[in-house]
Amino acid sequence: MSRAVLTGVAAVAIIAAVGGAFIADHVHRVGLVHLTMSAAAESAAAPIYYRDPDDKPFYSLTPKKTADGRAYRAVPPGADLSFDNPVHEEMGTKVADTKGIERKIKYYRNPMGLPDTSPVPKKDSMGMDYIPVYEGEDTGDGSVKLSPGKIQRTGVQSERAAPRVVRTLVRAPGTIQLDERRISVISMRAESWVQKVSNVTTGAAVKKGQPLMEIYSPAISSAAAEYISTINSPTTGGIERYGRGSRQRLMNLDVPDAAIVAMEKSRTVPIAIEWSAPRDGIVLERNAIEGMRAQPGDVLFRVADVSMVWALVDVAERDLGAVRVGQTVTVRARSFPGRTFSGKIGVIYPQVNRETRTARIRVELSNPDRALLPDMYVDAEIDTGNPAPVLAIPESAVLDAGTRQSVLVDKGQGRFEPREVKLGQRGNGYVEVRDGLRDGEPVVVSANFLIDAESNLKAALKGFSEVGGQP
């Protein structure tokens, strides 16, 4: 009985051993097949990018060759996507696997860019690890060194400072007003009666010399009779100086020249004097009514020449320093989309509105087709730019801290130097650099704020100011 039991146990053990070996061999074969298929699939996959054959920080999304004709190396999806050299820590040092160069950690800096360093690894108040700084990365001149991987991932781009024409447009609203020098008023200088009014109404266009009304005035008739008597007299008629005083009296009563000439030709005194338009223009006001009595000073007609008008533009106080008399102004009327009117600044009024903090300027505009009407709203653009090229950089390159402006100068090989600059005019996406940069120096125009946060820029600027002796 015991022998039978022992025989059964041995048989079970043998079966278990043989089955385990079979299963292990099957798993090993399946694993080899899976790894082989994965490797084949990985090798067959399209490269995600191409990198320089000498491991320089140059990359391309498409096949490319170096200057000496060598093809860029394809990087498959399974490759290490970190652009930093794979390293391992060993007793306070980091050894690069690709070139075997040992780099010592000098210190650790604050991950949020604060001017705080530590000789040993530590964490900040939020639990973030301090960033190691290696020998050779801390140059001592305030510059910052970033790895090619970080530069590639953050999308850092640079552009050179170069002479450019910086155009600055000052935009301001305004209204159309009549030219004060082109308005005429017809009023009587003596008591008169309106005998007849021509077919002229408010808004009608009139020509200079066109009859407007006929006036009877006792004072004018008396002066006209005296003048005609003088020029008709056999004794004084041929002597010009005798009739000069009587003629001047008619002129003082504002009798039109055409009416005086008509008297001299006819040698008679008319009952009513014809009054004509003093200039070409539009009748803005008509108060004359047939049969009415007009007292001295009463306005009977108001005529304005609208071939030239003013645009009174309210410019913000902050833009006054860039505005000059004679600058070109482009005016767009809201009633005529797509049409522009050009003029020049004639006057800058010497007063600032205390409520709106704006100053008024006057632009003289030609209006031959009478499209611009009084009190019409317009939008003005004043070209305050300098036509001469100046050293300029993109506005996105400027890190503005309020009291100081700085840029990141690309020194090459992943080094970026923070530098304070003095800026001038802005326009067309560029800003003038008056001090701090030289022609041709590249500055970071994209991802510069990421570099600021990554590179302890505030501490670098502080050290740079201390070295330069600036406050």
Side-chain angles (χ1 to χ4, degrees):
M1 175 107 181
S2 59
R3 179 177 298 176
V5 172
L6 291 176
T7 302
V9 171
V12 171
I14 292 172
I15 292 172
V18 172
F22 175 77
I23 293 173
D25 180 69
H26 178 70
V27 170
H28 177 69
R29 290 175 181 274
V30 171
L32 288 177
V33 171
H34 178 71
L35 290 176
T36 303
M37 292 176 64
S38 298
E42 182 177 313
S43 61
I48 58 173
Y49 66 93
Y50 300 82
R51 68 180 302 167
D52 187 90
D54 297 328
D55 290 331
K56 295 180 180 179
F58 301 121
Y59 311 92
S60 174
L61 295 176
T62 58
K64 186 178 178 181
K65 292 188 178 181
T66 60
D68 55 3
R70 292 179 298 153
Y72 271 43
R73 188 170 70 251
V75 179
D80 184 9
L81 297 183
S82 173
F83 293 91
D84 301 328
N85 291 332
V87 296
H88 63 271
E89 296 189 12
E90 184 176 302
M91 298 298 292
T93 65
K94 287 209 170 184
V95 184
D97 293 338
T98 57
K99 298 185 179 179
I101 300 176
E102 293 187 359
R103 296 192 300 164
K104 265 192 174 179
I105 297 178
K106 292 185 62 177
Y107 59 88
Y108 297 83
R109 61 179 174 84
N110 190 285
M112 299 302 294
L114 300 177
D116 180 26
T117 61
S118 172
V120 296
K122 64 179 291 189
K123 295 180 182 292
D124 65 359
S125 58
M126 295 184 294
M128 300 175 64
D129 292 326
Y130 272 46
I131 301 172
V133 178
Y134 303 99
E135 289 184 347
E137 290 185 351
D138 187 10
T139 59
D141 60 355
S143 63
V144 175
K145 186 175 179 63
L146 299 181
S147 65
K150 291 177 181 177
I151 296 175
Q152 183 78 4
R153 289 192 295 269
T154 55
V156 176
Q157 296 180 1
S158 301
E159 187 172 332
R160 295 185 181 275
R164 297 180 176 91
V165 176
V166 178
R167 291 291 186 184
T168 304
L169 289 179
V170 174
R171 294 178 172 85
T175 58
I176 297 298
Q177 299 296 332
L178 295 172
D179 189 339
E180 298 170 353
R181 301 163 297 187
R182 297 173 179 267
I183 301 177
S184 297
V185 172
I186 300 175
S187 63
M188 307 312 298
R189 298 183 181 181
E191 186 180 26
S192 307
W193 280 262
V194 179
Q195 296 286 93
K196 181 181 179 182
V197 181
S198 301
N199 187 19
V200 176
T201 58
T202 303
V206 295
K207 296 289 185 180
K208 183 177 181 179
Q210 178 178 337
L212 297 180
M213 60 183 175
E214 292 182 1
I215 295 293
Y216 168 73
S217 171
I220 295 176
S221 296
S222 175
E226 180 182 346
Y227 178 53
I228 294 301
S229 176
T230 302
I231 62 176
N232 286 337
S233 172
T235 305
T236 59
I239 304 174
E240 181 181 354
R241 66 177 180 271
Y242 285 106
R244 188 179 301 169
S246 300
R247 194 178 198 278
Q248 184 63 46
R249 185 181 174 190
L250 289 173
M251 295 174 62
N252 291 342
L253 291 171
D254 201 25
V255 178
D257 291 339
I260 298 175
V261 172
M263 293 180 197
E264 293 172 345
K265 288 182 178 180
S266 65
R267 302 280 176 159
T268 59
V269 179
I271 297 177
I273 303 296
E274 187 177 75
W275 234 261
S276 58
R279 64 168 66 245
D280 296 346
I282 303 296
V283 176
L284 300 180
E285 186 178 351
R286 171 193 153 159
N287 297 319
I289 301 174
E290 290 187 5
M292 70 174 290
R293 178 185 179 184
Q295 296 291 344
D298 288 350
V299 176
L300 300 180
F301 281 92
R302 188 187 301 271
V303 180
D305 181 5
V306 295
S307 61
M308 291 289 296
V309 294
W310 290 347
L312 300 183
V313 180
D314 296 324
V315 177
E317 183 179 1
R318 65 176 180 272
D319 297 325
L320 282 179
V323 177
R324 299 286 185 274
V325 173
Q327 287 176 333
T328 301
V329 181
T330 301
V331 175
R332 291 180 172 83
R334 302 178 185 181
S335 303
F336 304 99
R339 183 176 177 182
T340 60
F341 302 84
S342 182
K344 291 187 177 181
I345 298 177
V347 174
I348 301 176
Y349 290 90
Q351 187 176 4
V352 175
N353 188 309
R354 66 175 62 186
E355 284 81 17
T356 61
R357 308 312 304 171
T358 58
R360 179 159 289 184
I361 66 172
R362 190 172 77 200
V363 183
E364 298 181 6
L365 299 173
S366 177
N367 187 33
D369 59 350
R370 303 171 185 167
L372 298 175
L373 303 177
D375 295 323
M376 179 181 286
Y377 282 113
V378 294
D379 296 309
E381 292 182 352
I382 308 171
D383 187 359
T384 63
N386 188 348
V390 294
L391 186 65
I393 58 175
E395 284 187 303
S396 60
V398 179
L399 297 170
D400 196 340
T403 57
R404 77 167 71 194
Q405 293 78 38
S406 58
V407 297
L408 291 171
V409 181
D410 190 348
K411 308 294 287 187
Q413 302 298 322
R415 290 179 59 243
F416 301 94
E417 175 189 343
R419 190 180 300 175
E420 186 175 351
V421 292
K422 302 296 183 184
L423 305 179
Q425 280 193 330
R426 297 172 183 258
N428 300 337
Y430 290 92
V431 57
E432 176 188 0
V433 180
R434 296 181 176 175
D435 188 28
L437 278 179
R438 296 187 302 273
D439 187 4
E441 284 191 296
V443 294
V444 178
V445 298
S446 177
N448 44 1
F449 286 98
L450 296 177
I451 297 177
D452 182 6
E454 176 70 22
S455 63
N456 197 4
L457 179 60
K458 294 180 181 178
L461 279 174
K462 181 179 178 182
F464 182 80
S465 299
E466 292 172 354
V467 172
Q470 300 177 357

mmCIF file of all heavy atoms in Angstrom, residues 430-445:
data_model
loop_
_atom_site.group_PDB
_atom_site.id
_atom_site.type_symbol
_atom_site.label_atom_id
_atom_site.label_comp_id
_atom_site.label_asym_id
_atom_site.label_seq_id
_atom_site.Cartn_x
_atom_site.Cartn_y
_atom_site.Cartn_z
ATOM 1 N N TYR A 430 7.929 96.601 -33.946
ATOM 2 C CA TYR A 430 9.339 96.765 -33.594
ATOM 3 C C TYR A 430 9.488 97.924 -32.616
ATOM 4 O O TYR A 430 8.606 98.777 -32.484
ATOM 5 C CB TYR A 430 10.181 97.023 -34.846
ATOM 6 C CG TYR A 430 10.315 95.812 -35.749
ATOM 7 C CD1 TYR A 430 9.416 95.609 -36.783
ATOM 8 C CD2 TYR A 430 11.326 94.877 -35.553
ATOM 9 C CE1 TYR A 430 9.528 94.492 -37.612
ATOM 10 C CE2 TYR A 430 11.440 93.771 -36.371
ATOM 11 C CZ TYR A 430 10.541 93.579 -37.397
ATOM 12 O OH TYR A 430 10.655 92.483 -38.201
ATOM 13 N N VAL A 431 10.621 97.942 -31.919
ATOM 14 C CA VAL A 431 10.915 98.991 -30.973
ATOM 15 C C VAL A 431 12.356 99.444 -31.192
ATOM 16 O O VAL A 431 13.256 98.633 -31.434
ATOM 17 C CB VAL A 431 10.698 98.504 -29.520
ATOM 18 C CG1 VAL A 431 11.536 97.269 -29.209
ATOM 19 C CG2 VAL A 431 11.006 99.608 -28.527
ATOM 20 N N GLU A 432 12.554 100.748 -31.136
ATOM 21 C CA GLU A 432 13.889 101.317 -31.335
ATOM 22 C C GLU A 432 14.755 101.071 -30.104
ATOM 23 O O GLU A 432 14.308 101.221 -28.969
ATOM 24 C CB GLU A 432 13.760 102.822 -31.586
ATOM 25 C CG GLU A 432 15.096 103.540 -31.721
ATOM 26 C CD GLU A 432 14.945 105.040 -31.768
ATOM 27 O OE1 GLU A 432 13.793 105.529 -31.697
ATOM 28 O OE2 GLU A 432 15.973 105.744 -31.876
ATOM 29 N N VAL A 433 16.017 100.680 -30.336
ATOM 30 C CA VAL A 433 16.986 100.467 -29.253
ATOM 31 C C VAL A 433 18.003 101.602 -29.322
ATOM 32 O O VAL A 433 18.773 101.700 -30.275
ATOM 33 C CB VAL A 433 17.687 99.109 -29.378
ATOM 34 C CG1 VAL A 433 18.689 98.926 -28.250
ATOM 35 C CG2 VAL A 433 16.671 97.978 -29.367
ATOM 36 N N ARG A 434 18.001 102.453 -28.317
ATOM 37 C CA ARG A 434 18.917 103.594 -28.303
ATOM 38 C C ARG A 434 20.230 103.288 -27.619
ATOM 39 O O ARG A 434 21.240 103.961 -27.869
ATOM 40 C CB ARG A 434 18.231 104.782 -27.622
ATOM 41 C CG ARG A 434 17.000 105.282 -28.385
ATOM 42 C CD ARG A 434 16.350 106.465 -27.710
ATOM 43 N NE ARG A 434 15.232 106.980 -28.510
ATOM 44 C CZ ARG A 434 14.433 107.951 -28.110
ATOM 45 N NH1 ARG A 434 14.612 108.529 -26.928
ATOM 46 N NH2 ARG A 434 13.445 108.356 -28.897
ATOM 47 N N ASP A 435 20.241 102.288 -26.748
ATOM 48 C CA ASP A 435 21.478 101.937 -26.047
ATOM 49 C C ASP A 435 21.359 100.511 -25.528
ATOM 50 O O ASP A 435 20.280 100.075 -25.125
ATOM 51 C CB ASP A 435 21.717 102.909 -24.884
ATOM 52 C CG ASP A 435 23.085 102.704 -24.236
ATOM 53 O OD1 ASP A 435 24.004 102.242 -24.947
ATOM 54 O OD2 ASP A 435 23.226 102.992 -23.037
ATOM 55 N N GLY A 436 22.489 99.784 -25.534
ATOM 56 C CA GLY A 436 22.530 98.429 -24.983
ATOM 57 C C GLY A 436 22.757 97.339 -25.992
ATOM 58 O O GLY A 436 23.122 96.223 -25.616
ATOM 59 N N LEU A 437 22.551 97.601 -27.281
ATOM 60 C CA LEU A 437 22.737 96.591 -28.316
ATOM 61 C C LEU A 437 23.525 97.175 -29.475
ATOM 62 O O LEU A 437 23.498 98.387 -29.716
ATOM 63 C CB LEU A 437 21.386 96.077 -28.836
ATOM 64 C CG LEU A 437 20.661 94.999 -28.032
ATOM 65 C CD1 LEU A 437 19.349 94.649 -28.710
ATOM 66 C CD2 LEU A 437 21.515 93.752 -27.871
ATOM 67 N N ARG A 438 24.193 96.277 -30.206
ATOM 68 C CA ARG A 438 24.914 96.656 -31.419
ATOM 69 C C ARG A 438 24.229 96.039 -32.629
ATOM 70 O O ARG A 438 23.518 95.042 -32.517
ATOM 71 C CB ARG A 438 26.375 96.211 -31.360
ATOM 72 C CG ARG A 438 27.187 96.871 -30.263
ATOM 73 C CD ARG A 438 28.659 96.493 -30.391
ATOM 74 N NE ARG A 438 28.850 95.060 -30.327
ATOM 75 C CZ ARG A 438 29.007 94.370 -29.216
ATOM 76 N NH1 ARG A 438 28.994 94.996 -28.044
ATOM 77 N NH2 ARG A 438 29.179 93.064 -29.245
ATOM 78 N N ASP A 439 24.451 96.633 -33.757
ATOM 79 C CA ASP A 439 23.871 96.139 -34.998
ATOM 80 C C ASP A 439 24.347 94.709 -35.259
ATOM 81 O O ASP A 439 25.542 94.421 -35.235
ATOM 82 C CB ASP A 439 24.294 97.052 -36.154
ATOM 83 C CG ASP A 439 23.591 96.682 -37.459
ATOM 84 O OD1 ASP A 439 22.732 95.785 -37.434
ATOM 85 O OD2 ASP A 439 23.919 97.289 -38.495
ATOM 86 N N GLY A 440 23.395 93.806 -35.494
ATOM 87 C CA GLY A 440 23.720 92.420 -35.813
ATOM 88 C C GLY A 440 23.670 91.472 -34.637
ATOM 89 O O GLY A 440 23.735 90.251 -34.833
ATOM 90 N N GLU A 441 23.562 91.945 -33.414
ATOM 91 C CA GLU A 441 23.506 91.047 -32.254
ATOM 92 C C GLU A 441 22.145 90.355 -32.218
ATOM 93 O O GLU A 441 21.100 91.017 -32.289
ATOM 94 C CB GLU A 441 23.730 91.823 -30.963
ATOM 95 C CG GLU A 441 25.166 92.198 -30.712
ATOM 96 C CD GLU A 441 25.394 92.730 -29.308
ATOM 97 O OE1 GLU A 441 24.824 93.787 -28.992
ATOM 98 O OE2 GLU A 441 26.125 92.089 -28.532
ATOM 99 N N PRO A 442 22.117 89.016 -32.082
ATOM 100 C CA PRO A 442 20.832 88.302 -32.031
ATOM 101 C C PRO A 442 20.219 88.357 -30.636
ATOM 102 O O PRO A 442 20.920 88.246 -29.628
ATOM 103 C CB PRO A 442 21.214 86.869 -32.413
ATOM 104 C CG PRO A 442 22.652 86.736 -31.992
ATOM 105 C CD PRO A 442 23.272 88.096 -32.112
ATOM 106 N N VAL A 443 18.915 88.544 -30.590
ATOM 107 C CA VAL A 443 18.187 88.562 -29.326
ATOM 108 C C VAL A 443 17.071 87.529 -29.400
ATOM 109 O O VAL A 443 16.544 87.220 -30.473
ATOM 110 C CB VAL A 443 17.609 89.956 -29.025
ATOM 111 C CG1 VAL A 443 18.719 90.953 -28.789
ATOM 112 C CG2 VAL A 443 16.694 90.431 -30.144
ATOM 113 N N VAL A 444 16.694 86.989 -28.259
ATOM 114 C CA VAL A 444 15.636 85.987 -28.180
ATOM 115 C C VAL A 444 14.291 86.679 -28.350
ATOM 116 O O VAL A 444 13.987 87.648 -27.649
ATOM 117 C CB VAL A 444 15.690 85.233 -26.846
ATOM 118 C CG1 VAL A 444 14.554 84.220 -26.759
ATOM 119 C CG2 VAL A 444 17.029 84.531 -26.688
ATOM 120 N N VAL A 445 13.490 86.194 -29.285
ATOM 121 C CA VAL A 445 12.179 86.786 -29.557
ATOM 122 C C VAL A 445 11.040 85.837 -29.215
ATOM 123 O O VAL A 445 9.880 86.236 -29.242
ATOM 124 C CB VAL A 445 12.073 87.214 -31.036
ATOM 125 C CG1 VAL A 445 13.107 88.270 -31.368
ATOM 126 C CG2 VAL A 445 12.221 86.022 -31.972
#
